[in-house]
Amino acid sequence: EAGAFGVLGDEVVGRHEAQARQRDVGLRASIAPGLPKACVDPARVRQVLDNLLTNAMRYGRDSETGQLHVTVSLTANAAHATVAVIDRGSGVFVAEIDRLLRPFERGESARSGSTGAGLGLPIVDRIARMHAGSLRLLPNSPRGLRAEVTIAR
């Protein structure tokens, strides 16, 4: 099914805005104008965004300032559509990435009292692969995490 990436992104970010305000989270969407449709399962793309946003809002608080800023970015080119959720938290160690993509595994910061079963990232990874895409967990400079899902158009 063809889904308009920009519309899906606006919808999911809109659903998280009230929670972000309640939790004093700076939530920003950077959605490229006129994003083309992509052959995706819209419900699954919503789930990708929901899972990544939930993780960023749980674990993305800046350890130096105590603030939580999350950016959702949606872009596309002729071959791929890309969803990125970026935070300024402690990030993850490169050595942890493979483990975090396994079900029921959680990062060090997730073990310190936060809720979650360790299924969010494995689900995102699986949905990305179902859409001939990939999930990459990258450092966000100067700190934080950039969770990036690229899906074939």
Side-chain angles (χ1 to χ4, degrees), residues 53-103:
L53 267 168
T54 297
N55 274 1
M57 289 171 64
R58 279 185 185 155
Y59 311 119
R61 192 164 296 278
D62 187 319
S63 58
E64 291 182 14
T65 67
Q67 295 180 335
L68 182 53
H69 295 281
V70 177
T71 300
V72 177
S73 169
L74 283 86
T75 58
N77 61 30
H80 298 94
T82 302
V83 174
V85 176
I86 305 150
D87 67 49
R88 298 181 194 165
S90 59
V92 297
F93 294 110
V94 172
E96 275 193 309
I97 291 173
D98 286 339
R99 186 177 60 77
L100 293 176
L101 299 180
R102 293 192 305 256

mmCIF file of all heavy atoms in Angstrom, residues 53-103:
data_model
loop_
_atom_site.group_PDB
_atom_site.id
_atom_site.type_symbol
_atom_site.label_atom_id
_atom_site.label_comp_id
_atom_site.label_asym_id
_atom_site.label_seq_id
_atom_site.Cartn_x
_atom_site.Cartn_y
_atom_site.Cartn_z
ATOM 1 N N LEU A 53 10.108 7.169 18.859
ATOM 2 C CA LEU A 53 9.792 8.348 19.677
ATOM 3 C C LEU A 53 9.678 7.986 21.158
ATOM 4 O O LEU A 53 10.174 8.718 22.024
ATOM 5 C CB LEU A 53 8.490 8.988 19.201
ATOM 6 C CG LEU A 53 8.638 10.098 18.190
ATOM 7 C CD1 LEU A 53 7.298 10.451 17.564
ATOM 8 C CD2 LEU A 53 9.263 11.317 18.815
ATOM 9 N N THR A 54 9.035 6.877 21.443
ATOM 10 C CA THR A 54 8.898 6.440 22.837
ATOM 11 C C THR A 54 10.268 6.211 23.452
ATOM 12 O O THR A 54 10.546 6.662 24.576
ATOM 13 C CB THR A 54 8.033 5.167 22.921
ATOM 14 O OG1 THR A 54 6.727 5.489 22.444
ATOM 15 C CG2 THR A 54 7.945 4.644 24.345
ATOM 16 N N ASN A 55 11.162 5.543 22.734
ATOM 17 C CA ASN A 55 12.517 5.316 23.253
ATOM 18 C C ASN A 55 13.239 6.636 23.496
ATOM 19 O O ASN A 55 13.873 6.816 24.540
ATOM 20 C CB ASN A 55 13.335 4.464 22.287
ATOM 21 C CG ASN A 55 13.135 2.992 22.485
ATOM 22 O OD1 ASN A 55 12.371 2.562 23.337
ATOM 23 N ND2 ASN A 55 13.814 2.200 21.672
ATOM 24 N N ALA A 56 13.165 7.541 22.537
ATOM 25 C CA ALA A 56 13.859 8.823 22.674
ATOM 26 C C ALA A 56 13.321 9.609 23.868
ATOM 27 O O ALA A 56 14.083 10.235 24.611
ATOM 28 C CB ALA A 56 13.726 9.638 21.394
ATOM 29 N N MET A 57 12.004 9.550 24.077
ATOM 30 C CA MET A 57 11.415 10.292 25.181
ATOM 31 C C MET A 57 11.712 9.624 26.532
ATOM 32 O O MET A 57 11.728 10.287 27.558
ATOM 33 C CB MET A 57 9.921 10.482 24.954
ATOM 34 C CG MET A 57 9.669 11.473 23.815
ATOM 35 S SD MET A 57 7.962 11.613 23.251
ATOM 36 C CE MET A 57 7.148 12.265 24.674
ATOM 37 N N ARG A 58 11.987 8.342 26.524
ATOM 38 C CA ARG A 58 12.351 7.653 27.773
ATOM 39 C C ARG A 58 13.821 7.835 28.118
ATOM 40 O O ARG A 58 14.182 8.012 29.279
ATOM 41 C CB ARG A 58 12.092 6.153 27.644
ATOM 42 C CG ARG A 58 10.694 5.746 27.843
ATOM 43 C CD ARG A 58 10.568 4.224 27.814
ATOM 44 N NE ARG A 58 9.176 3.856 27.899
ATOM 45 C CZ ARG A 58 8.689 2.717 27.437
ATOM 46 N NH1 ARG A 58 9.476 1.822 26.886
ATOM 47 N NH2 ARG A 58 7.400 2.473 27.549
ATOM 48 N N TYR A 59 14.682 7.717 27.114
ATOM 49 C CA TYR A 59 16.112 7.602 27.384
ATOM 50 C C TYR A 59 16.952 8.742 26.827
ATOM 51 O O TYR A 59 18.168 8.727 26.984
ATOM 52 C CB TYR A 59 16.646 6.279 26.804
ATOM 53 C CG TYR A 59 15.811 5.084 27.172
ATOM 54 C CD1 TYR A 59 15.203 4.312 26.196
ATOM 55 C CD2 TYR A 59 15.614 4.733 28.502
ATOM 56 C CE1 TYR A 59 14.427 3.213 26.530
ATOM 57 C CE2 TYR A 59 14.833 3.642 28.849
ATOM 58 C CZ TYR A 59 14.249 2.887 27.853
ATOM 59 O OH TYR A 59 13.470 1.807 28.196
ATOM 60 N N GLY A 60 16.332 9.720 26.186
ATOM 61 C CA GLY A 60 17.095 10.743 25.483
ATOM 62 C C GLY A 60 17.374 12.020 26.235
ATOM 63 O O GLY A 60 17.795 13.011 25.652
ATOM 64 N N ARG A 61 17.175 12.021 27.550
ATOM 65 C CA ARG A 61 17.402 13.244 28.330
ATOM 66 C C ARG A 61 18.897 13.561 28.387
ATOM 67 O O ARG A 61 19.720 12.689 28.621
ATOM 68 C CB ARG A 61 16.842 13.077 29.741
ATOM 69 C CG ARG A 61 16.786 14.388 30.506
ATOM 70 C CD ARG A 61 15.893 14.301 31.719
ATOM 71 N NE ARG A 61 14.496 14.049 31.404
ATOM 72 C CZ ARG A 61 13.609 14.973 31.032
ATOM 73 N NH1 ARG A 61 13.985 16.222 30.892
ATOM 74 N NH2 ARG A 61 12.364 14.646 30.794
ATOM 75 N N ASP A 62 19.229 14.813 28.145
ATOM 76 C CA ASP A 62 20.611 15.292 28.177
ATOM 77 C C ASP A 62 21.130 15.192 29.613
ATOM 78 O O ASP A 62 20.581 15.823 30.518
ATOM 79 C CB ASP A 62 20.655 16.742 27.684
ATOM 80 C CG ASP A 62 22.066 17.257 27.516
ATOM 81 O OD1 ASP A 62 22.925 16.976 28.370
ATOM 82 O OD2 ASP A 62 22.300 17.984 26.530
ATOM 83 N N SER A 63 22.165 14.413 29.821
ATOM 84 C CA SER A 63 22.682 14.190 31.177
ATOM 85 C C SER A 63 23.332 15.442 31.755
ATOM 86 O O SER A 63 23.409 15.593 32.972
ATOM 87 C CB SER A 63 23.678 13.028 31.180
ATOM 88 O OG SER A 63 24.740 13.307 30.288
ATOM 89 N N GLU A 64 23.774 16.363 30.911
ATOM 90 C CA GLU A 64 24.406 17.588 31.406
ATOM 91 C C GLU A 64 23.386 18.655 31.790
ATOM 92 O O GLU A 64 23.537 19.322 32.804
ATOM 93 C CB GLU A 64 25.381 18.140 30.369
ATOM 94 C CG GLU A 64 26.611 17.269 30.194
ATOM 95 C CD GLU A 64 27.583 17.852 29.196
ATOM 96 O OE1 GLU A 64 27.450 19.036 28.827
ATOM 97 O OE2 GLU A 64 28.489 17.104 28.783
ATOM 98 N N THR A 65 22.363 18.824 30.975
ATOM 99 C CA THR A 65 21.396 19.906 31.219
ATOM 100 C C THR A 65 20.095 19.412 31.837
ATOM 101 O O THR A 65 19.322 20.213 32.348
ATOM 102 C CB THR A 65 21.051 20.632 29.909
ATOM 103 O OG1 THR A 65 20.333 19.728 29.047
ATOM 104 C CG2 THR A 65 22.299 21.152 29.220
ATOM 105 N N GLY A 66 19.828 18.121 31.739
ATOM 106 C CA GLY A 66 18.567 17.575 32.223
ATOM 107 C C GLY A 66 17.408 17.806 31.265
ATOM 108 O O GLY A 66 16.291 17.382 31.525
ATOM 109 N N GLN A 67 17.666 18.460 30.152
ATOM 110 C CA GLN A 67 16.607 18.736 29.179
ATOM 111 C C GLN A 67 16.447 17.567 28.219
ATOM 112 O O GLN A 67 17.365 16.777 28.017
ATOM 113 C CB GLN A 67 16.922 20.004 28.404
ATOM 114 C CG GLN A 67 16.936 21.242 29.269
ATOM 115 C CD GLN A 67 17.256 22.481 28.468
ATOM 116 O OE1 GLN A 67 17.885 22.425 27.421
ATOM 117 N NE2 GLN A 67 16.816 23.620 28.973
ATOM 118 N N LEU A 68 15.264 17.498 27.651
ATOM 119 C CA LEU A 68 14.962 16.442 26.688
ATOM 120 C C LEU A 68 14.471 17.085 25.407
ATOM 121 O O LEU A 68 13.429 17.744 25.388
ATOM 122 C CB LEU A 68 13.910 15.498 27.263
ATOM 123 C CG LEU A 68 13.485 14.299 26.418
ATOM 124 C CD1 LEU A 68 14.678 13.475 25.969
ATOM 125 C CD2 LEU A 68 12.538 13.427 27.211
ATOM 126 N N HIS A 69 15.268 16.952 24.358
ATOM 127 C CA HIS A 69 14.919 17.467 23.041
ATOM 128 C C HIS A 69 14.963 16.308 22.057
ATOM 129 O O HIS A 69 15.955 15.580 22.000
ATOM 130 C CB HIS A 69 15.912 18.538 22.582
ATOM 131 C CG HIS A 69 15.888 19.757 23.436
ATOM 132 N ND1 HIS A 69 14.925 20.722 23.309
ATOM 133 C CD2 HIS A 69 16.703 20.153 24.443
ATOM 134 C CE1 HIS A 69 15.145 21.669 24.196
ATOM 135 N NE2 HIS A 69 16.218 21.347 24.901
ATOM 136 N N VAL A 70 13.884 16.146 21.303
ATOM 137 C CA VAL A 70 13.791 15.067 20.325
ATOM 138 C C VAL A 70 13.409 15.684 18.983
ATOM 139 O O VAL A 70 12.491 16.504 18.910
ATOM 140 C CB VAL A 70 12.737 14.021 20.752
ATOM 141 C CG1 VAL A 70 12.590 12.939 19.695
ATOM 142 C CG2 VAL A 70 13.101 13.418 22.102
ATOM 143 N N THR A 71 14.105 15.272 17.950
ATOM 144 C CA THR A 71 13.795 15.719 16.595
ATOM 145 C C THR A 71 13.419 14.507 15.753
ATOM 146 O O THR A 71 14.103 13.492 15.800
ATOM 147 C CB THR A 71 15.002 16.431 15.950
ATOM 148 O OG1 THR A 71 15.344 17.561 16.750
ATOM 149 C CG2 THR A 71 14.677 16.886 14.538
ATOM 150 N N VAL A 72 12.329 14.637 15.011
ATOM 151 C CA VAL A 72 11.914 13.615 14.055
ATOM 152 C C VAL A 72 12.161 14.194 12.672
ATOM 153 O O VAL A 72 11.679 15.282 12.350
ATOM 154 C CB VAL A 72 10.422 13.266 14.221
ATOM 155 C CG1 VAL A 72 9.997 12.247 13.173
ATOM 156 C CG2 VAL A 72 10.148 12.751 15.614
ATOM 157 N N SER A 73 12.908 13.478 11.860
ATOM 158 C CA SER A 73 13.239 13.935 10.519
ATOM 159 C C SER A 73 12.761 12.900 9.508
ATOM 160 O O SER A 73 13.008 11.714 9.672
ATOM 161 C CB SER A 73 14.763 14.106 10.416
ATOM 162 O OG SER A 73 15.151 14.297 9.079
ATOM 163 N N LEU A 74 12.050 13.375 8.477
ATOM 164 C CA LEU A 74 11.625 12.503 7.389
ATOM 165 C C LEU A 74 12.107 13.108 6.082
ATOM 166 O O LEU A 74 11.833 14.275 5.795
ATOM 167 C CB LEU A 74 10.102 12.354 7.359
ATOM 168 C CG LEU A 74 9.513 11.428 8.409
ATOM 169 C CD1 LEU A 74 9.285 12.176 9.697
ATOM 170 C CD2 LEU A 74 8.227 10.842 7.922
ATOM 171 N N THR A 75 12.827 12.307 5.314
ATOM 172 C CA THR A 75 13.352 12.742 4.021
ATOM 173 C C THR A 75 13.180 11.607 3.022
ATOM 174 O O THR A 75 12.910 10.468 3.399
ATOM 175 C CB THR A 75 14.843 13.120 4.115
ATOM 176 O OG1 THR A 75 15.577 11.980 4.593
ATOM 177 C CG2 THR A 75 15.072 14.302 5.047
ATOM 178 N N ALA A 76 13.374 11.921 1.750
ATOM 179 C CA ALA A 76 13.301 10.880 0.716
ATOM 180 C C ALA A 76 14.125 11.312 -0.481
ATOM 181 O O ALA A 76 14.326 12.500 -0.729
ATOM 182 C CB ALA A 76 11.848 10.636 0.301
ATOM 183 N N ASN A 77 14.594 10.308 -1.198
ATOM 184 C CA ASN A 77 15.201 10.538 -2.507
ATOM 185 C C ASN A 77 14.538 9.555 -3.473
ATOM 186 O O ASN A 77 13.541 8.921 -3.119
ATOM 187 C CB ASN A 77 16.730 10.395 -2.450
ATOM 188 C CG ASN A 77 17.177 9.011 -2.028
ATOM 189 O OD1 ASN A 77 16.510 8.013 -2.288
ATOM 190 N ND2 ASN A 77 18.324 8.936 -1.378
ATOM 191 N N ALA A 78 15.066 9.417 -4.652
ATOM 192 C CA ALA A 78 14.421 8.571 -5.659
ATOM 193 C C ALA A 78 14.341 7.104 -5.227
ATOM 194 O O ALA A 78 13.426 6.389 -5.627
ATOM 195 C CB ALA A 78 15.166 8.683 -6.987
ATOM 196 N N ALA A 79 15.279 6.646 -4.409
ATOM 197 C CA ALA A 79 15.341 5.228 -4.061
ATOM 198 C C ALA A 79 14.836 4.898 -2.657
ATOM 199 O O ALA A 79 14.358 3.796 -2.430
ATOM 200 C CB ALA A 79 16.782 4.736 -4.202
ATOM 201 N N HIS A 80 14.965 5.830 -1.712
ATOM 202 C CA HIS A 80 14.691 5.518 -0.311
ATOM 203 C C HIS A 80 13.935 6.631 0.397
ATOM 204 O O HIS A 80 14.067 7.793 0.046
ATOM 205 C CB HIS A 80 16.005 5.295 0.455
ATOM 206 C CG HIS A 80 16.799 4.165 -0.054
ATOM 207 N ND1 HIS A 80 17.811 4.317 -0.983
ATOM 208 C CD2 HIS A 80 16.739 2.840 0.208
ATOM 209 C CE1 HIS A 80 18.340 3.142 -1.262
ATOM 210 N NE2 HIS A 80 17.696 2.228 -0.558
ATOM 211 N N ALA A 81 13.208 6.240 1.418
ATOM 212 C CA ALA A 81 12.628 7.179 2.373
ATOM 213 C C ALA A 81 13.333 6.916 3.696
ATOM 214 O O ALA A 81 13.613 5.766 4.048
ATOM 215 C CB ALA A 81 11.131 6.957 2.508
ATOM 216 N N THR A 82 13.634 7.987 4.426
ATOM 217 C CA THR A 82 14.371 7.853 5.670
ATOM 218 C C THR A 82 13.642 8.553 6.801
ATOM 219 O O THR A 82 13.217 9.695 6.664
ATOM 220 C CB THR A 82 15.795 8.442 5.536
ATOM 221 O OG1 THR A 82 16.470 7.760 4.476
ATOM 222 C CG2 THR A 82 16.584 8.281 6.823
ATOM 223 N N VAL A 83 13.506 7.840 7.903
ATOM 224 C CA VAL A 83 12.930 8.358 9.135
ATOM 225 C C VAL A 83 14.065 8.358 10.151
ATOM 226 O O VAL A 83 14.727 7.340 10.344
ATOM 227 C CB VAL A 83 11.812 7.421 9.652
ATOM 228 C CG1 VAL A 83 11.307 7.887 11.001
ATOM 229 C CG2 VAL A 83 10.696 7.298 8.653
ATOM 230 N N ALA A 84 14.289 9.494 10.792
ATOM 231 C CA ALA A 84 15.308 9.559 11.842
ATOM 232 C C ALA A 84 14.702 10.191 13.085
ATOM 233 O O ALA A 84 13.965 11.169 12.988
ATOM 234 C CB ALA A 84 16.514 10.368 11.374
ATOM 235 N N VAL A 85 14.994 9.604 14.226
ATOM 236 C CA VAL A 85 14.600 10.170 15.516
ATOM 237 C C VAL A 85 15.903 10.418 16.263
ATOM 238 O O VAL A 85 16.702 9.502 16.469
ATOM 239 C CB VAL A 85 13.651 9.234 16.294
ATOM 240 C CG1 VAL A 85 13.348 9.810 17.666
ATOM 241 C CG2 VAL A 85 12.361 9.027 15.502
ATOM 242 N N ILE A 86 16.097 11.683 16.646
ATOM 243 C CA ILE A 86 17.382 12.138 17.173
ATOM 244 C C ILE A 86 17.176 12.712 18.571
ATOM 245 O O ILE A 86 16.273 13.524 18.781
ATOM 246 C CB ILE A 86 17.967 13.218 16.236
ATOM 247 C CG1 ILE A 86 18.049 12.672 14.808
ATOM 248 C CG2 ILE A 86 19.319 13.694 16.735
ATOM 249 C CD1 ILE A 86 17.903 13.712 13.742
ATOM 250 N N ASP A 87 18.012 12.282 19.509
ATOM 251 C CA ASP A 87 17.940 12.827 20.864
ATOM 252 C C ASP A 87 19.330 13.259 21.311
ATOM 253 O O ASP A 87 20.306 13.089 20.591
ATOM 254 C CB ASP A 87 17.314 11.821 21.840
ATOM 255 C CG ASP A 87 18.170 10.597 22.078
ATOM 256 O OD1 ASP A 87 19.378 10.734 22.360
ATOM 257 O OD2 ASP A 87 17.633 9.478 22.004
ATOM 258 N N ARG A 88 19.410 13.821 22.517
ATOM 259 C CA ARG A 88 20.680 14.299 23.069
ATOM 260 C C ARG A 88 21.029 13.584 24.369
ATOM 261 O O ARG A 88 21.696 14.134 25.235
ATOM 262 C CB ARG A 88 20.600 15.804 23.327
ATOM 263 C CG ARG A 88 20.375 16.605 22.077
ATOM 264 C CD ARG A 88 20.333 18.067 22.396
ATOM 265 N NE ARG A 88 19.787 18.826 21.279
ATOM 266 C CZ ARG A 88 19.363 20.061 21.363
ATOM 267 N NH1 ARG A 88 19.396 20.689 22.523
ATOM 268 N NH2 ARG A 88 18.876 20.676 20.326
ATOM 269 N N GLY A 89 20.558 12.356 24.485
ATOM 270 C CA GLY A 89 20.820 11.582 25.691
ATOM 271 C C GLY A 89 22.229 11.023 25.713
ATOM 272 O O GLY A 89 23.128 11.512 25.038
ATOM 273 N N SER A 90 22.408 9.957 26.473
ATOM 274 C CA SER A 90 23.739 9.368 26.615
ATOM 275 C C SER A 90 24.125 8.506 25.418
ATOM 276 O O SER A 90 25.281 8.105 25.297
ATOM 277 C CB SER A 90 23.815 8.547 27.905
ATOM 278 O OG SER A 90 22.833 7.532 27.879
ATOM 279 N N GLY A 91 23.172 8.217 24.540
ATOM 280 C CA GLY A 91 23.479 7.392 23.371
ATOM 281 C C GLY A 91 23.719 5.949 23.765
ATOM 282 O O GLY A 91 23.383 5.525 24.870
ATOM 283 N N VAL A 92 24.282 5.197 22.866
ATOM 284 C CA VAL A 92 24.626 3.800 23.143
ATOM 285 C C VAL A 92 26.048 3.549 22.677
ATOM 286 O O VAL A 92 26.542 4.196 21.759
ATOM 287 C CB VAL A 92 23.666 2.796 22.451
ATOM 288 C CG1 VAL A 92 22.254 2.953 22.960
ATOM 289 C CG2 VAL A 92 23.706 2.924 20.956
ATOM 290 N N PHE A 93 26.697 2.612 23.332
ATOM 291 C CA PHE A 93 28.032 2.219 22.912
ATOM 292 C C PHE A 93 27.922 1.371 21.644
ATOM 293 O O PHE A 93 27.000 0.549 21.514
ATOM 294 C CB PHE A 93 28.739 1.410 24.003
ATOM 295 C CG PHE A 93 29.020 2.209 25.242
ATOM 296 C CD1 PHE A 93 28.322 1.944 26.417
ATOM 297 C CD2 PHE A 93 29.965 3.225 25.240
ATOM 298 C CE1 PHE A 93 28.567 2.677 27.559
ATOM 299 C CE2 PHE A 93 30.210 3.965 26.383
ATOM 300 C CZ PHE A 93 29.518 3.697 27.543
ATOM 301 N N VAL A 94 28.847 1.554 20.730
ATOM 302 C CA VAL A 94 28.843 0.798 19.481
ATOM 303 C C VAL A 94 28.800 -0.700 19.769
ATOM 304 O O VAL A 94 28.102 -1.452 19.091
ATOM 305 C CB VAL A 94 30.072 1.173 18.612
ATOM 306 C CG1 VAL A 94 30.191 0.271 17.400
ATOM 307 C CG2 VAL A 94 29.995 2.637 18.186
ATOM 308 N N ALA A 95 29.501 -1.134 20.796
ATOM 309 C CA ALA A 95 29.539 -2.556 21.147
ATOM 310 C C ALA A 95 28.181 -3.084 21.601
ATOM 311 O O ALA A 95 27.956 -4.290 21.586
ATOM 312 C CB ALA A 95 30.578 -2.793 22.242
ATOM 313 N N GLU A 96 27.250 -2.195 21.994
ATOM 314 C CA GLU A 96 25.919 -2.613 22.463
ATOM 315 C C GLU A 96 24.903 -2.749 21.333
ATOM 316 O O GLU A 96 23.854 -3.349 21.531
ATOM 317 C CB GLU A 96 25.349 -1.571 23.442
ATOM 318 C CG GLU A 96 25.756 -1.697 24.860
ATOM 319 C CD GLU A 96 24.877 -0.801 25.731
ATOM 320 O OE1 GLU A 96 24.723 0.393 25.426
ATOM 321 O OE2 GLU A 96 24.335 -1.326 26.708
ATOM 322 N N ILE A 97 25.161 -2.177 20.178
ATOM 323 C CA ILE A 97 24.137 -2.047 19.144
ATOM 324 C C ILE A 97 23.560 -3.392 18.720
ATOM 325 O O ILE A 97 22.340 -3.558 18.686
ATOM 326 C CB ILE A 97 24.667 -1.239 17.934
ATOM 327 C CG1 ILE A 97 24.866 0.216 18.367
ATOM 328 C CG2 ILE A 97 23.709 -1.338 16.751
ATOM 329 C CD1 ILE A 97 25.526 1.093 17.344
ATOM 330 N N ASP A 98 24.392 -4.356 18.392
ATOM 331 C CA ASP A 98 23.869 -5.658 17.951
ATOM 332 C C ASP A 98 22.986 -6.286 19.025
ATOM 333 O O ASP A 98 21.932 -6.848 18.727
ATOM 334 C CB ASP A 98 25.003 -6.621 17.593
ATOM 335 C CG ASP A 98 25.657 -6.274 16.270
ATOM 336 O OD1 ASP A 98 25.024 -5.567 15.452
ATOM 337 O OD2 ASP A 98 26.808 -6.689 16.061
ATOM 338 N N ARG A 99 23.394 -6.179 20.278
ATOM 339 C CA ARG A 99 22.625 -6.757 21.378
ATOM 340 C C ARG A 99 21.272 -6.065 21.522
ATOM 341 O O ARG A 99 20.258 -6.712 21.777
ATOM 342 C CB ARG A 99 23.418 -6.641 22.685
ATOM 343 C CG ARG A 99 22.756 -7.341 23.848
ATOM 344 C CD ARG A 99 23.604 -7.266 25.106
ATOM 345 N NE ARG A 99 23.870 -5.908 25.536
ATOM 346 C CZ ARG A 99 22.976 -5.134 26.164
ATOM 347 N NH1 ARG A 99 21.776 -5.594 26.424
ATOM 348 N NH2 ARG A 99 23.292 -3.911 26.533
ATOM 349 N N LEU A 100 21.229 -4.742 21.329
ATOM 350 C CA LEU A 100 19.978 -3.998 21.479
ATOM 351 C C LEU A 100 18.951 -4.359 20.410
ATOM 352 O O LEU A 100 17.765 -4.079 20.583
ATOM 353 C CB LEU A 100 20.246 -2.494 21.438
ATOM 354 C CG LEU A 100 21.038 -1.945 22.611
ATOM 355 C CD1 LEU A 100 21.320 -0.471 22.414
ATOM 356 C CD2 LEU A 100 20.296 -2.184 23.908
ATOM 357 N N LEU A 101 19.377 -4.963 19.333
ATOM 358 C CA LEU A 101 18.457 -5.362 18.271
ATOM 359 C C LEU A 101 17.895 -6.759 18.492
ATOM 360 O O LEU A 101 17.096 -7.237 17.697
ATOM 361 C CB LEU A 101 19.138 -5.255 16.904
ATOM 362 C CG LEU A 101 19.596 -3.838 16.531
ATOM 363 C CD1 LEU A 101 20.250 -3.831 15.171
ATOM 364 C CD2 LEU A 101 18.465 -2.841 16.607
ATOM 365 N N ARG A 102 18.298 -7.394 19.596
ATOM 366 C CA ARG A 102 17.738 -8.699 19.967
ATOM 367 C C ARG A 102 16.577 -8.485 20.928
ATOM 368 O O ARG A 102 16.652 -7.628 21.822
ATOM 369 C CB ARG A 102 18.809 -9.579 20.602
ATOM 370 C CG ARG A 102 19.893 -9.986 19.626
ATOM 371 C CD ARG A 102 20.780 -11.094 20.179
ATOM 372 N NE ARG A 102 21.385 -10.786 21.452
ATOM 373 C CZ ARG A 102 22.669 -10.443 21.627
ATOM 374 N NH1 ARG A 102 23.475 -10.356 20.592
ATOM 375 N NH2 ARG A 102 23.128 -10.203 22.834
ATOM 376 N N PRO A 103 15.503 -9.269 20.781
ATOM 377 C CA PRO A 103 14.355 -9.117 21.692
ATOM 378 C C PRO A 103 14.744 -9.273 23.157
ATOM 379 O O PRO A 103 15.594 -10.094 23.509
ATOM 380 C CB PRO A 103 13.416 -10.245 21.257
ATOM 381 C CG PRO A 103 13.794 -10.533 19.847
ATOM 382 C CD PRO A 103 15.277 -10.285 19.766
#
